[in-house]
Amino acid sequence: MSVPMLKIGAVLSTMAMVTNWMSQTLPSLVGLNGTIVSPDGTHERIISGLYPGSEDGWQVYSTASDPDGRCVCTVVAPARNLCKRDPRNRQLRLLTEQVQNVSQSMEVVDLRTSRDLQYVRDSEPLLRGVDGRLHTYVASPRALTSRGLQELKGQMSQLRPLLSVVEQYRLDLQTLATLRMELLNLSIILTAIQEEVGAYDYEELQQRVLLLETRLHSCMNKLGCGRLTAVSNPITVRASGSRFGSWMTDAMIPSSESRVWSMDGYYKGRRVLEYRTMGDFTKGQNFVQHLLPHPWAGTGHVVYNGSLYYNKHQSNILVQYHFRSRSVLLQRSLSGAGYNNTFPYSWGGSSDIDLMADETGLWAVYTSIPNAGNIMVSRLDPRTLEVLQSWDTGFPKRSAGEAFMICGTLYVTNSHLAGAKVHFAYNTNTSTYEYTDIPFHNQYSHISMMDYNPRERALYTWNNGHQVLYNVTLFHVIQSDG
């Protein structure tokens, strides 16, 4: 039912008294006031800029003078649906959204596992053929030379591990089928709860959802590295902060560590908020504050093994800040790297140096004058911040919207605005590149941070004041030297 709006009019003779009372007394009652000049030149006193929640009581929304000189007061009445006042109703909505997210993650894992299993199935005939020929030659040694026999034995040894992989993927598919059925049953239960709020134990439902998430993560962790083939629809976790910023979880510590960090802004910021869990981050509660001794530049920060790695303001110095000891453990200059908006991403924001992590370690993405503004990728030693190896991708950094690493491959978007897609990929394992066409929905039209978390296999983005997650689809190929 829509919120009823009540209009209260007063006669002209009492207009001055009523207007004066409203302008002086009502703002102090609700704690918010401000003056806006309407198009016809009259003054409108805004008491509350937003409609109150359904659990609130009667509240004054605005007062103004109409064309006839009468004072008009707009009031918002409380909702008449008592179920909406029940705090369990909000818990139910949050639980429903969580189930939808789990379902989406499960579909991604299902697609990924199915593709990998098909590859293994295609490899089985080769394995069995080589194994059969080897048995034949062992039975009749004259049919094959000694050199040929050794070659076949070597191939069989290389292919034999595929048999155990086949069996493991069969078990994974059975697990996914079971999870799908459990999730379907859970959705049916949620539908019933929506019809009659309070008829089910919310805590039991929450435990079942957490169990499903744990089993999904266990299934995903069995899969190795792969090539990015798709990005899911966005999942908005929260709307907070300014237009630019970054947020993240630890890219290395096991999944039992669930803390979330948020860093608002890109220029001279020092305040890092640490939330105990993702649920606390969503609600904006249960957090502690870290005040960095050195301000940061850009949004290319990363949390790796309990430390925050970031670019020091107006320099190409990398800083390692340890959260538990609340101290700086290390500072080192990234030699030759541009800074202070010399070579930023297309959106600017002092995004010259972008630190990130993937399954293979800690990375820095930047550029320099000798590289003519092309993106450089350097693998870093997290203990010393020394550059272990570098690659020149040949892609101009100012043409990139954002970039992230997955399994040693740098993926670059063509824009930070609406219509963006993953446009370029550089594989550091082979020192080769390719142009890609992987679209994703840029829901809020201005991405200022996009980083991959290898522990959760998800993309974290800061999009115009919204903290958004994307699931990724990786195509896994099981390779053998033979």
Side-chain angles (χ1 to χ4, degrees), residues 77 108 150 179 231 270 427 453:
V108 172
Q150 293 301 322
L179 288 175
V231 178
R270 294 178 59 197
N427 191 330
N453 187 296

Side-chain angles (χ1 to χ4, degrees), residues 313-330:
H313 175 62
Q314 287 189 339
S315 73
N316 58 9
I317 295 175
L318 308 183
V319 180
Q320 179 189 5
Y321 175 87
H322 190 247
F323 283 115
R324 180 165 296 179
S325 65
R326 292 178 174 264
S327 62
V328 171
L329 300 184
L330 187 63

Side-chain angles (χ1 to χ4, degrees), residues 180-413:
R180 189 182 296 278
M181 290 303 300
E182 290 188 20
L183 192 56
L184 178 61
N185 293 335
L186 190 57
S187 299
I188 295 174
I189 293 174
L190 284 171
T191 302
I193 294 177
Q194 287 175 332
E195 296 175 355
E196 186 174 354
V197 176
Y200 201 86
D201 188 349
Y202 286 93
E203 293 183 358
E204 181 181 347
L205 271 179
Q206 188 176 21
Q207 291 300 319
R208 291 186 63 183
V209 171
L210 292 176
L211 178 62
L212 283 175
E213 287 185 330
T214 301
R215 294 172 67 180
L216 279 171
H217 278 293
S218 176
C219 184
M220 289 193 296
N221 289 335
K222 293 178 182 179
L223 303 175
C225 267
R227 177 171 55 86
L228 180 68
T229 58
V231 178
S232 74
N233 288 325
I235 304 169
T236 301
V237 176
R238 187 184 177 191
S240 67
S242 64
R243 191 177 189 185
F244 313 94
S246 61
W247 71 295
M248 65 217 80
T249 56
D250 199 303
M252 182 178 177
I253 292 179
S255 57
S256 58
E257 171 60 70
S258 57
R259 288 180 295 171
V260 180
W261 291 269
S262 175
M263 302 169 67
D264 190 12
Y266 69 85
Y267 183 73
K268 295 179 67 175
R270 294 178 59 197
R271 191 174 71 129
V272 182
L273 300 183
E274 176 186 308
Y275 296 83
R276 187 179 59 184
T277 65
M278 183 66 76
D280 290 334
F281 174 75
T282 303
K283 298 174 185 177
Q285 63 184 21
N286 294 331
F287 64 87
V288 296
Q289 176 178 289
H290 297 266
L291 192 63
L292 301 178
H294 309 292
W296 71 69
T299 58
H301 328 299
V302 64
V303 175
Y304 188 80
N305 197 24
S307 290
L308 171 69
Y309 294 84
Y310 69 95
N311 175 211
K312 188 176 180 180
H313 175 62
Q314 287 189 339
S315 73
N316 58 9
I317 295 175
L318 308 183
V319 180
Q320 179 189 5
Y321 175 87
H322 190 247
F323 283 115
R324 180 165 296 179
S325 65
R326 292 178 174 264
S327 62
V328 171
L329 300 184
L330 187 63
Q331 295 188 65
R332 182 179 290 274
S333 174
L334 186 59
S335 180
Y339 61 92
N340 199 26
N341 270 332
T342 304
F343 298 108
Y345 289 126
S346 60
W347 63 273
S350 299
S351 56
D352 303 75
I353 299 175
D354 194 357
L355 300 174
M356 55 191 70
D358 70 351
E359 292 85 349
T360 61
L362 185 65
W363 300 84
V365 172
Y366 60 100
T367 190
S368 62
I369 293 177
N371 292 103
N374 293 330
I375 291 179
M376 288 287 296
V377 182
S378 293
R379 186 173 181 182
L380 305 177
D381 184 340
R383 296 167 298 181
T384 64
L385 289 178
E386 291 182 351
V387 174
L388 302 178
Q389 190 174 355
S390 297
W391 294 262
D392 186 346
T393 66
F395 192 93
K397 192 166 186 292
R398 287 183 175 274
S399 299
E402 272 290 339
F404 52 93
M405 296 288 297
I406 298 180
C407 298
T409 297
L410 177 73
Y411 294 92
V412 181
T413 68

Side-chain angles (χ1 to χ4, degrees), residues 113-128:
T113 305
S114 298
R115 289 179 177 176
D116 292 347
L117 184 59
Q118 184 59 48
Y119 176 85
V120 177
R121 284 173 177 166
D122 293 341
S123 301
E124 279 190 87
L126 175 61
L127 171 64
R128 301 190 185 281

Side-chain angles (χ1 to χ4, degrees), residues 152-183:
L152 282 176
K153 283 184 178 180
Q155 291 178 355
M156 189 187 73
S157 298
Q158 295 169 1
L159 291 174
R160 185 173 288 115
L162 282 177
L163 288 175
S164 60
V165 175
V166 169
E167 184 60 30
Q168 183 60 58
Y169 275 98
R170 285 175 178 164
L171 294 175
D172 286 345
L173 284 179
Q174 294 175 3
T175 301
L176 283 171
T178 302
L179 288 175
R180 189 182 296 278
M181 290 303 300
E182 290 188 20
L183 192 56

Side-chain angles (χ1 to χ4, degrees), residues 9-180:
V11 295
L12 182 61
S13 61
T14 60
M15 181 192 68
M17 178 182 65
V18 175
T19 303
N20 182 65
W21 181 83
M22 287 183 175
S23 63
Q24 296 182 16
T25 306
L26 289 183
S28 63
L29 294 179
V30 297
L32 289 173
N33 44 22
T35 303
I36 296 178
V37 180
S38 60
D40 57 0
T42 61
H43 290 275
E44 181 179 12
R45 178 72 63 173
I46 301 298
I47 305 301
S48 176
L50 297 174
Y51 287 107
S54 59
E55 69 276 9
D56 295 336
W58 295 81
Q59 288 196 14
V60 176
Y61 178 61
S62 68
T63 62
S65 299
D66 67 4
D68 297 328
R70 294 178 301 178
C71 177
V72 179
C73 178
T74 303
V75 179
V76 179
R80 296 182 181 179
N81 186 352
L82 296 181
C83 291
K84 291 185 178 180
R85 290 187 176 186
D86 190 340
R88 294 175 298 177
N89 181 265
R90 172 179 291 183
Q91 188 176 8
L92 173 61
R93 292 197 303 269
L94 294 176
L95 185 58
T96 303
E97 293 173 359
Q98 194 171 16
V99 170
Q100 292 173 349
N101 294 342
V102 171
S103 177
Q104 188 177 45
S105 298
M106 187 173 63
E107 291 175 359
V108 172
V109 176
D110 190 11
L111 175 62
R112 201 159 49 214
T113 305
S114 298
R115 289 179 177 176
D116 292 347
L117 184 59
Q118 184 59 48
Y119 176 85
V120 177
R121 284 173 177 166
D122 293 341
S123 301
E124 279 190 87
L126 175 61
L127 171 64
R128 301 190 185 281
V130 171
D131 197 43
R133 284 193 303 164
L134 184 58
H135 282 295
T136 300
Y137 294 141
V138 170
S140 302
R142 296 180 181 178
L144 184 67
T145 65
S146 176
R147 180 179 178 181
L149 179 60
Q150 293 301 322
E151 291 177 350
L152 282 176
K153 283 184 178 180
Q155 291 178 355
M156 189 187 73
S157 298
Q158 295 169 1
L159 291 174
R160 185 173 288 115
L162 282 177
L163 288 175
S164 60
V165 175
V166 169
E167 184 60 30
Q168 183 60 58
Y169 275 98
R170 285 175 178 164
L171 294 175
D172 286 345
L173 284 179
Q174 294 175 3
T175 301
L176 283 171
T178 302
L179 288 175
R180 189 182 296 278

